[in-house]
Amino acid sequence: MRALRTSGLRTRFLLILLLGAVVPLGLVGWWLTRTTRRSGEELLRSRLGQTLDEIVQTVGRNWVSRRSELLRLAETDAVRAALVEHRPLRSSAYGETPGELEQAWAAVAGAVERVTLYDLAGELQGALPAEDRPTSGTGVASSVLPLRMAVYGRGSSGRIGTMEVRLQTSSLLPSDLVLPGLGGSVLALFDATGSTPLLPLTMEPELLARDRFAWAGETWLAVRHTLYEPPLHIALSAPLGALGQPFETAARRGALALLAVALSAFVVATLATRRITRPLERLADGAGAVARGELERAVAEDGPDEIRRVAGAFNTMTESLRQTLRELSRRESLAAVGEFAASLAHEVRNPLTAIRLDLQRAREQLGDGERSGALVDHALHEVERLDASVTDGLRLARSGQPTVVQLDLRQPLEAAYHAAQHRFDANGAVLESLALPAGPVWTNGDAGALEQLFINLLLNAAEATGAGVRAGVELEQADGTVQVSIWDRGRGIAPEQMSRIFEPFYSTSPEGTGLGLPIARRIARAHGGELEIESRPGSGTTARVTLRSMEPPADQA
């Protein structure tokens, strides 16, 4: 932070550009990349979900057919007789069997590897086929789903046994299982426990329990569904690479484009700030020279339009400052003449009045036409002229005095408080609520001048505060005086500066004019009061204005 405070305008501008444009563009690029990749994943997951729904519907329809065929087999007379009469099941293929059983078995033989029958006591009563058939081929055709189905007698005789079925999983799946748009996808079937795969897998089964996993150097997504009839878990997964590659490419290109735009903007800003800051540096040098007292210094009015306007305003301000100083010098001279005129008036007017009266009486005793009368008239004329000169001099001495009327001090103080409130708000400081007496506080003064006095003191307090710093105003009456205290808990004033705070144009603030306190003290003294400043570095400053308190006017008594 210290390096930032001491850095130049150009460095700050580039830093602002970096933080305000380049970094946000980078964040936008990162967000777009993530969003694009997420879109690819969402598309793949949506396709997986749709395909899995179609597979689940096909499995459900096929299971209804297989279940109906198995129930028809369990309802044959041969199966019921074997379970109820406890005699072995016989078939024409492996013995002598009724045609009904042969037909029922032929309907399920292509989907079932083996059916085993047990009576209620758990005794084996037969199997179809009578001997295990050797498995043929590999892959889906050799995968079976073990099932147990209850066998019931006719009518209300209840359960008579159990039929164990080894159902080929291929009979449940679509006959032409093709997964469009999902190249390299893997379909997995698991038994009721969800841990034993019923189809050959090239990857670890536990990976399919995750929504997202890495395998064979690629990122895979998986979706799952559980069936309770038949008890089956189905999982479908596919690699993100093929479908997500266009999204990855678009995200990469977008990020590179944003990076190129950000770098181009930074380069252009670097070149542009060089053109802008050079006139500003000259303007800063000119301001420093004027601050050192070189009031004849002017700056070149070139560069961008705004800089030219600032340079022109600076030159105008410097010229105005020179005129103000000349005017102040003239006013100081007039003040000295006024003081001399006031002193001269007190010394001359009384004897001058006596001389005029004596000359008037002498003129009355002289007749018209006498030469001495003309001389007296001439003397009276000169006395009148001298009296007018003395009166003008006295008027000049009084011209710096305010127009004094009896007023309620609360009014200019409250007006100044509200006028300065915005400066405290801008600095983040806290100006405590103005607590004034319930009744009027009477004094003699000029409301406008007193308001200016209080505004100057409040603005000084605002300059000394910062974020969270407190300031306030207090009004007290005691012993025929009224005292207004304006305090702050800001940085305070160093001891070496206290002796110069009332010097015109001396300011501890880089933006101050140094005229606030001198004008405030002059106003206070013009009202017969006094302005005092107390300050401790690091603890704050208190400005106290003491004025005479007056009795209320007759119409307010």
Side-chain angles (χ1 to χ4, degrees), residues 406-433:
Q406 195 165 3
L407 55 84
D408 182 4
L409 189 60
R410 297 179 304 169
Q411 296 176 359
L413 183 58
E414 188 172 10
Y417 175 91
H418 292 298
Q421 179 71 60
H422 75 281
R423 184 66 63 86
F424 286 90
D425 294 340
N427 291 347
V430 179
L431 180 58
E432 295 187 353
S433 300

mmCIF file of all heavy atoms in Angstrom, residues 406-433:
data_model
loop_
_atom_site.group_PDB
_atom_site.id
_atom_site.type_symbol
_atom_site.label_atom_id
_atom_site.label_comp_id
_atom_site.label_asym_id
_atom_site.label_seq_id
_atom_site.Cartn_x
_atom_site.Cartn_y
_atom_site.Cartn_z
ATOM 1 N N GLN A 406 -29.214 41.940 16.883
ATOM 2 C CA GLN A 406 -29.418 40.928 17.917
ATOM 3 C C GLN A 406 -30.034 39.690 17.263
ATOM 4 O O GLN A 406 -31.042 39.785 16.546
ATOM 5 C CB GLN A 406 -30.327 41.452 19.028
ATOM 6 C CG GLN A 406 -30.274 40.577 20.279
ATOM 7 C CD GLN A 406 -30.869 41.284 21.483
ATOM 8 O OE1 GLN A 406 -31.362 42.393 21.361
ATOM 9 N NE2 GLN A 406 -30.805 40.669 22.635
ATOM 10 N N LEU A 407 -29.412 38.532 17.481
ATOM 11 C CA LEU A 407 -29.867 37.317 16.816
ATOM 12 C C LEU A 407 -29.731 36.115 17.736
ATOM 13 O O LEU A 407 -29.026 36.159 18.749
ATOM 14 C CB LEU A 407 -29.078 37.083 15.520
ATOM 15 C CG LEU A 407 -27.547 37.030 15.609
ATOM 16 C CD1 LEU A 407 -27.053 35.646 16.006
ATOM 17 C CD2 LEU A 407 -26.931 37.426 14.280
ATOM 18 N N ASP A 408 -30.435 35.032 17.339
ATOM 19 C CA ASP A 408 -30.363 33.754 18.035
ATOM 20 C C ASP A 408 -29.188 32.966 17.445
ATOM 21 O O ASP A 408 -29.222 32.593 16.268
ATOM 22 C CB ASP A 408 -31.663 32.973 17.862
ATOM 23 C CG ASP A 408 -31.659 31.640 18.606
ATOM 24 O OD1 ASP A 408 -30.670 31.348 19.321
ATOM 25 O OD2 ASP A 408 -32.637 30.888 18.451
ATOM 26 N N LEU A 409 -28.136 32.709 18.254
ATOM 27 C CA LEU A 409 -26.920 32.069 17.750
ATOM 28 C C LEU A 409 -27.182 30.660 17.231
ATOM 29 O O LEU A 409 -26.408 30.122 16.428
ATOM 30 C CB LEU A 409 -25.855 32.033 18.860
ATOM 31 C CG LEU A 409 -24.454 31.584 18.449
ATOM 32 C CD1 LEU A 409 -23.884 32.513 17.382
ATOM 33 C CD2 LEU A 409 -23.534 31.520 19.655
ATOM 34 N N ARG A 410 -28.266 30.061 17.622
ATOM 35 C CA ARG A 410 -28.547 28.690 17.164
ATOM 36 C C ARG A 410 -28.767 28.630 15.653
ATOM 37 O O ARG A 410 -28.459 27.623 15.022
ATOM 38 C CB ARG A 410 -29.790 28.139 17.879
ATOM 39 C CG ARG A 410 -29.643 28.001 19.390
ATOM 40 C CD ARG A 410 -30.911 27.474 20.019
ATOM 41 N NE ARG A 410 -32.054 28.320 19.677
ATOM 42 C CZ ARG A 410 -33.323 27.985 19.923
ATOM 43 N NH1 ARG A 410 -33.596 26.830 20.521
ATOM 44 N NH2 ARG A 410 -34.311 28.806 19.603
ATOM 45 N N GLN A 411 -29.332 29.723 15.081
ATOM 46 C CA GLN A 411 -29.667 29.696 13.660
ATOM 47 C C GLN A 411 -28.429 29.615 12.769
ATOM 48 O O GLN A 411 -28.332 28.710 11.930
ATOM 49 C CB GLN A 411 -30.519 30.921 13.321
ATOM 50 C CG GLN A 411 -31.864 30.913 14.046
ATOM 51 C CD GLN A 411 -32.664 32.179 13.778
ATOM 52 O OE1 GLN A 411 -32.206 33.076 13.069
ATOM 53 N NE2 GLN A 411 -33.864 32.253 14.360
ATOM 54 N N PRO A 412 -27.411 30.515 12.882
ATOM 55 C CA PRO A 412 -26.228 30.366 12.015
ATOM 56 C C PRO A 412 -25.434 29.093 12.325
ATOM 57 O O PRO A 412 -24.840 28.505 11.432
ATOM 58 C CB PRO A 412 -25.409 31.626 12.306
ATOM 59 C CG PRO A 412 -25.885 32.111 13.633
ATOM 60 C CD PRO A 412 -27.337 31.751 13.708
ATOM 61 N N LEU A 413 -25.459 28.653 13.596
ATOM 62 C CA LEU A 413 -24.730 27.432 13.942
ATOM 63 C C LEU A 413 -25.385 26.214 13.301
ATOM 64 O O LEU A 413 -24.708 25.335 12.751
ATOM 65 C CB LEU A 413 -24.678 27.275 15.464
ATOM 66 C CG LEU A 413 -23.886 26.072 15.987
ATOM 67 C CD1 LEU A 413 -22.445 26.109 15.495
ATOM 68 C CD2 LEU A 413 -23.914 26.036 17.513
ATOM 69 N N GLU A 414 -26.718 26.155 13.333
ATOM 70 C CA GLU A 414 -27.412 25.023 12.722
ATOM 71 C C GLU A 414 -27.247 25.038 11.211
ATOM 72 O O GLU A 414 -27.067 23.989 10.572
ATOM 73 C CB GLU A 414 -28.887 25.066 13.094
ATOM 74 C CG GLU A 414 -29.661 23.817 12.655
ATOM 75 C CD GLU A 414 -31.074 23.805 13.196
ATOM 76 O OE1 GLU A 414 -31.490 24.837 13.746
ATOM 77 O OE2 GLU A 414 -31.748 22.778 13.065
ATOM 78 N N ALA A 415 -27.282 26.228 10.585
ATOM 79 C CA ALA A 415 -27.100 26.323 9.138
ATOM 80 C C ALA A 415 -25.702 25.841 8.738
ATOM 81 O O ALA A 415 -25.534 25.135 7.742
ATOM 82 C CB ALA A 415 -27.320 27.768 8.684
ATOM 83 N N ALA A 416 -24.680 26.236 9.511
ATOM 84 C CA ALA A 416 -23.318 25.791 9.212
ATOM 85 C C ALA A 416 -23.181 24.282 9.398
ATOM 86 O O ALA A 416 -22.491 23.606 8.624
ATOM 87 C CB ALA A 416 -22.324 26.530 10.104
ATOM 88 N N TYR A 417 -23.823 23.733 10.429
ATOM 89 C CA TYR A 417 -23.772 22.286 10.692
ATOM 90 C C TYR A 417 -24.300 21.509 9.489
ATOM 91 O O TYR A 417 -23.675 20.556 9.019
ATOM 92 C CB TYR A 417 -24.591 21.979 11.941
ATOM 93 C CG TYR A 417 -24.717 20.514 12.264
ATOM 94 C CD1 TYR A 417 -23.809 19.876 13.104
ATOM 95 C CD2 TYR A 417 -25.762 19.741 11.737
ATOM 96 C CE1 TYR A 417 -23.930 18.532 13.401
ATOM 97 C CE2 TYR A 417 -25.883 18.403 12.030
ATOM 98 C CZ TYR A 417 -24.975 17.807 12.867
ATOM 99 O OH TYR A 417 -25.086 16.484 13.165
ATOM 100 N N HIS A 418 -25.464 21.902 8.973
ATOM 101 C CA HIS A 418 -26.040 21.190 7.838
ATOM 102 C C HIS A 418 -25.222 21.410 6.564
ATOM 103 O O HIS A 418 -25.122 20.511 5.727
ATOM 104 C CB HIS A 418 -27.478 21.639 7.624
ATOM 105 C CG HIS A 418 -28.404 21.208 8.725
ATOM 106 N ND1 HIS A 418 -28.650 19.884 9.034
ATOM 107 C CD2 HIS A 418 -29.136 21.932 9.622
ATOM 108 C CE1 HIS A 418 -29.483 19.796 10.046
ATOM 109 N NE2 HIS A 418 -29.807 21.023 10.434
ATOM 110 N N ALA A 419 -24.630 22.591 6.411
ATOM 111 C CA ALA A 419 -23.833 22.854 5.216
ATOM 112 C C ALA A 419 -22.566 21.995 5.181
ATOM 113 O O ALA A 419 -22.085 21.624 4.107
ATOM 114 C CB ALA A 419 -23.458 24.337 5.142
ATOM 115 N N ALA A 420 -21.992 21.680 6.349
ATOM 116 C CA ALA A 420 -20.733 20.916 6.396
ATOM 117 C C ALA A 420 -20.958 19.413 6.506
ATOM 118 O O ALA A 420 -20.000 18.649 6.418
ATOM 119 C CB ALA A 420 -19.884 21.382 7.585
ATOM 120 N N GLN A 421 -22.221 18.993 6.707
ATOM 121 C CA GLN A 421 -22.489 17.569 6.922
ATOM 122 C C GLN A 421 -21.989 16.703 5.766
ATOM 123 O O GLN A 421 -21.432 15.625 5.962
ATOM 124 C CB GLN A 421 -23.993 17.364 7.111
ATOM 125 C CG GLN A 421 -24.406 15.907 7.317
ATOM 126 C CD GLN A 421 -23.984 15.366 8.660
ATOM 127 O OE1 GLN A 421 -24.377 15.881 9.687
ATOM 128 N NE2 GLN A 421 -23.165 14.335 8.665
ATOM 129 N N HIS A 422 -22.171 17.192 4.519
ATOM 130 C CA HIS A 422 -21.792 16.373 3.370
ATOM 131 C C HIS A 422 -20.300 16.107 3.311
ATOM 132 O O HIS A 422 -19.863 15.081 2.808
ATOM 133 C CB HIS A 422 -22.242 17.060 2.082
ATOM 134 C CG HIS A 422 -21.398 18.242 1.695
ATOM 135 N ND1 HIS A 422 -21.530 19.482 2.289
ATOM 136 C CD2 HIS A 422 -20.383 18.366 0.791
ATOM 137 C CE1 HIS A 422 -20.642 20.311 1.757
ATOM 138 N NE2 HIS A 422 -19.945 19.669 0.851
ATOM 139 N N ARG A 423 -19.472 17.052 3.836
ATOM 140 C CA ARG A 423 -18.023 16.826 3.807
ATOM 141 C C ARG A 423 -17.627 15.685 4.742
ATOM 142 O O ARG A 423 -16.769 14.872 4.414
ATOM 143 C CB ARG A 423 -17.296 18.107 4.212
ATOM 144 C CG ARG A 423 -15.771 18.002 4.125
ATOM 145 C CD ARG A 423 -15.286 17.839 2.693
ATOM 146 N NE ARG A 423 -15.620 18.986 1.886
ATOM 147 C CZ ARG A 423 -14.849 20.071 1.807
ATOM 148 N NH1 ARG A 423 -13.728 20.158 2.471
ATOM 149 N NH2 ARG A 423 -15.215 21.078 1.040
ATOM 150 N N PHE A 424 -18.283 15.595 5.893
ATOM 151 C CA PHE A 424 -18.012 14.480 6.808
ATOM 152 C C PHE A 424 -18.469 13.168 6.190
ATOM 153 O O PHE A 424 -17.788 12.149 6.293
ATOM 154 C CB PHE A 424 -18.725 14.712 8.148
ATOM 155 C CG PHE A 424 -18.089 15.771 9.007
ATOM 156 C CD1 PHE A 424 -18.486 17.100 8.898
ATOM 157 C CD2 PHE A 424 -17.086 15.450 9.896
ATOM 158 C CE1 PHE A 424 -17.910 18.081 9.681
ATOM 159 C CE2 PHE A 424 -16.498 16.429 10.683
ATOM 160 C CZ PHE A 424 -16.906 17.757 10.573
ATOM 161 N N ASP A 425 -19.640 13.191 5.534
ATOM 162 C CA ASP A 425 -20.130 11.965 4.901
ATOM 163 C C ASP A 425 -19.166 11.505 3.811
ATOM 164 O O ASP A 425 -18.915 10.304 3.652
ATOM 165 C CB ASP A 425 -21.515 12.208 4.301
ATOM 166 C CG ASP A 425 -22.556 12.492 5.378
ATOM 167 O OD1 ASP A 425 -22.292 12.132 6.543
ATOM 168 O OD2 ASP A 425 -23.605 13.076 5.061
ATOM 169 N N ALA A 426 -18.621 12.453 3.036
ATOM 170 C CA ALA A 426 -17.690 12.090 1.962
ATOM 171 C C ALA A 426 -16.426 11.449 2.524
ATOM 172 O O ALA A 426 -15.830 10.586 1.890
ATOM 173 C CB ALA A 426 -17.337 13.330 1.137
ATOM 174 N N ASN A 427 -15.973 11.863 3.716
ATOM 175 C CA ASN A 427 -14.764 11.305 4.329
ATOM 176 C C ASN A 427 -15.052 10.055 5.139
ATOM 177 O O ASN A 427 -14.137 9.444 5.680
ATOM 178 C CB ASN A 427 -14.095 12.348 5.227
ATOM 179 C CG ASN A 427 -13.487 13.494 4.437
ATOM 180 O OD1 ASN A 427 -13.354 13.401 3.217
ATOM 181 N ND2 ASN A 427 -13.146 14.570 5.102
ATOM 182 N N GLY A 428 -16.345 9.673 5.252
ATOM 183 C CA GLY A 428 -16.686 8.513 6.063
ATOM 184 C C GLY A 428 -16.625 8.794 7.545
ATOM 185 O O GLY A 428 -16.634 7.867 8.356
ATOM 186 N N ALA A 429 -16.543 10.074 7.949
ATOM 187 C CA ALA A 429 -16.457 10.441 9.359
ATOM 188 C C ALA A 429 -17.867 10.548 9.957
ATOM 189 O O ALA A 429 -18.877 10.573 9.246
ATOM 190 C CB ALA A 429 -15.711 11.766 9.518
ATOM 191 N N VAL A 430 -17.926 10.604 11.272
ATOM 192 C CA VAL A 430 -19.192 10.658 11.992
ATOM 193 C C VAL A 430 -19.311 12.012 12.658
ATOM 194 O O VAL A 430 -18.557 12.325 13.590
ATOM 195 C CB VAL A 430 -19.289 9.539 13.053
ATOM 196 C CG1 VAL A 430 -20.603 9.630 13.801
ATOM 197 C CG2 VAL A 430 -19.140 8.180 12.389
ATOM 198 N N LEU A 431 -20.226 12.851 12.176
ATOM 199 C CA LEU A 431 -20.526 14.142 12.806
ATOM 200 C C LEU A 431 -21.715 13.925 13.714
ATOM 201 O O LEU A 431 -22.824 13.676 13.254
ATOM 202 C CB LEU A 431 -20.823 15.202 11.749
ATOM 203 C CG LEU A 431 -21.147 16.610 12.283
ATOM 204 C CD1 LEU A 431 -19.996 17.142 13.131
ATOM 205 C CD2 LEU A 431 -21.444 17.568 11.147
ATOM 206 N N GLU A 432 -21.476 13.975 15.017
ATOM 207 C CA GLU A 432 -22.526 13.662 15.971
ATOM 208 C C GLU A 432 -23.677 14.659 15.877
ATOM 209 O O GLU A 432 -23.519 15.801 15.436
ATOM 210 C CB GLU A 432 -21.955 13.642 17.384
ATOM 211 C CG GLU A 432 -20.947 12.524 17.598
ATOM 212 C CD GLU A 432 -20.513 12.393 19.043
ATOM 213 O OE1 GLU A 432 -20.895 13.259 19.856
ATOM 214 O OE2 GLU A 432 -19.799 11.448 19.353
ATOM 215 N N SER A 433 -24.840 14.211 16.318
ATOM 216 C CA SER A 433 -26.043 15.033 16.227
ATOM 217 C C SER A 433 -25.852 16.344 16.970
ATOM 218 O O SER A 433 -25.223 16.398 18.043
ATOM 219 C CB SER A 433 -27.244 14.274 16.806
ATOM 220 O OG SER A 433 -27.451 13.081 16.088
#
